[in-house]
Amino acid sequence: MQVSTRNQWPGVVKAINHGNIVSEVTLEISPNVTVVSIVSKSAVEALGLTVGSQAYALVKSTEVTLAIE
């Protein structure tokens, strides 16, 4: 697989919470560091994602917002 996305982090699926249409997938990319992605339920099924499976987080963003209180 070749992609142009520069931020690519391999990880392990730690949790999948299915909704009616979308699923929340938690990917652990290093100990105690997780990335959460909201994807369609059909995409989770098509990729064959299950807890414990390996996947990549591909992050492409033109904007990052930070906030403090």
Side-chain angles (χ1 to χ4, degrees), residues 24-63:
E24 180 183 273
V25 180
T26 302
L27 188 70
E28 185 176 55
I29 58 173
S30 67
N32 300 315
V33 177
T34 59
V35 174
V36 178
S37 180
I38 305 297
V39 297
S40 68
K41 188 174 178 181
S42 62
V44 171
E45 294 168 357
L47 291 170
L49 294 177
T50 59
V51 172
S53 63
Q54 294 184 3
Y56 288 86
L58 305 178
V59 179
K60 188 168 185 168
S61 176
T62 57
E63 180 179 327

